[in-house]
Amino acid sequence: MENPTDTRLSDALTELLDSRWSCRAYLPEQVPHETIVQILDTAQRSASWCNTQPWQVIVTEGDGTERFRTALSAHAADKGGDMQPDVPMPAECTGVHLDRRRESGWQLYEALGIGRGDRAASARQAQKNFELFGAPHCAVITVDAAQGAYGALDTGLYVAHFLLAAQSRGVSAIPQAALATYSPFVREYFDIPSDRAVLLGISFGWADRGHPANSYRTRRAGIEQVVQWSTR
């Protein structure tokens, strides 16, 4: 079999990856239902272990988004640090991973004019997670709990393809583990069965490109920092 020489597909994929970012401010207009269906249909082609497809998705639209936004933000404001994720959050970030996390956070704060040490302003910005950053839609992603880490890995692949499918249609999005920190609330709100773990949410819609929260882009490490070649 000859190697393909048409680079259109690889160029398109690279452009999607280069142009995608985590959107933190949205316009109020709804994404057409048909467009959301197309995004979901594309993401559904994601690979999984033995084709188990362990993900399930709840998508909010219209008043459904507004009711969920209101209820979730009120719950988060009331419960504060009393978080109960179904899937444990990372124990800690250290070394270069902590450096990258801090850099990303300071990029956001600088874009919004939040000074170092301004905990009140940073707390208000953190609360916007539970307001879905004003997005008109949210996708709540759950995974078959019995599949453990590999089910979460497969569902992570699905999330990546959802993000790229949205980007390919001009729809911006942000994956949010923050929503899963209140898993019992999300489970009760959407009547999610106990054999499924709440993994994350994805807020999505049309980006407010003039908002300062959308004015910066994070960096990616070069492959020389993450790849080790072996010829043995």
Side-chain angles (χ1 to χ4, degrees):
M1 177 179 177
E2 293 184 358
N3 291 326
T5 57
D6 190 340
T7 63
R8 287 178 297 175
L9 291 177
S10 62
D11 290 346
L13 177 58
T14 299
E15 182 177 355
L16 284 174
L17 289 165
D18 283 345
S19 61
R20 195 210 68 80
W21 84 99
S22 290
C23 180
R24 290 180 172 85
Y26 294 84
L27 300 174
E29 288 78 13
Q30 299 278 304
V31 176
H33 181 80
E34 296 76 12
T35 301
I36 300 175
V37 170
Q38 291 170 350
I39 292 169
L40 295 167
D41 187 59
T42 298
Q44 192 62 27
R45 292 166 169 77
S46 182
S48 59
W49 190 347
C50 295
N51 199 33
T52 51
Q53 304 172 59
W55 52 81
Q56 290 285 316
V57 187
I58 300 165
V59 179
T60 67
E61 296 180 286
D63 291 341
T65 302
E66 297 310 315
R67 285 191 291 268
F68 180 52
R69 188 197 326 277
T70 299
L72 177 63
S73 60
H75 180 83
D78 179 58
K79 294 298 182 180
D82 183 19
M83 300 179 179
Q84 298 176 285
D86 284 345
V87 178
M89 295 289 118
E92 62 178 337
C93 286
T94 60
V96 68
H97 311 297
L98 179 59
D99 293 341
R100 292 168 183 161
R101 179 173 181 170
R102 284 173 171 167
E103 180 184 41
S104 175
W106 285 121
Q107 283 183 279
L108 173 61
Y109 290 161
E110 288 173 4
L112 294 173
I114 298 175
R116 292 176 183 258
D118 189 344
R119 295 189 176 183
S122 61
R124 287 194 296 271
Q125 179 59 32
Q127 178 66 17
K128 293 184 182 299
N129 275 281
F130 308 106
E131 299 167 7
L132 312 178
F133 295 110
H137 305 282
C138 181
V140 175
I141 313 294
T142 70
V143 59
D144 177 14
Q147 294 196 37
Y150 284 95
L153 173 63
D154 285 342
T155 305
L157 292 175
Y158 172 87
V159 169
H161 293 141
F162 182 104
L163 297 176
L164 292 179
Q167 184 69 20
S168 73
R169 292 167 174 82
V171 177
S172 295
I174 180 170
Q176 295 176 262
L179 273 63
T181 60
Y182 296 113
S183 290
F185 169 82
V186 176
R187 178 183 311 285
E188 181 178 1
Y189 187 92
F190 289 111
D191 196 22
I192 297 169
S194 60
D195 61 349
R196 302 204 62 80
V198 178
L199 192 58
L200 77 162
I202 305 174
S203 294
F204 66 98
W206 308 117
D208 180 353
R209 294 182 180 272
H211 195 285
N214 291 332
S215 65
Y216 71 96
R217 300 292 181 266
T218 53
R219 299 185 300 167
R220 295 297 182 269
I223 64 169
E224 69 279 359
Q225 295 178 268
V226 299
V227 176
Q228 178 179 337
W229 302 99
S230 175
T231 58
R232 293 192 296 176

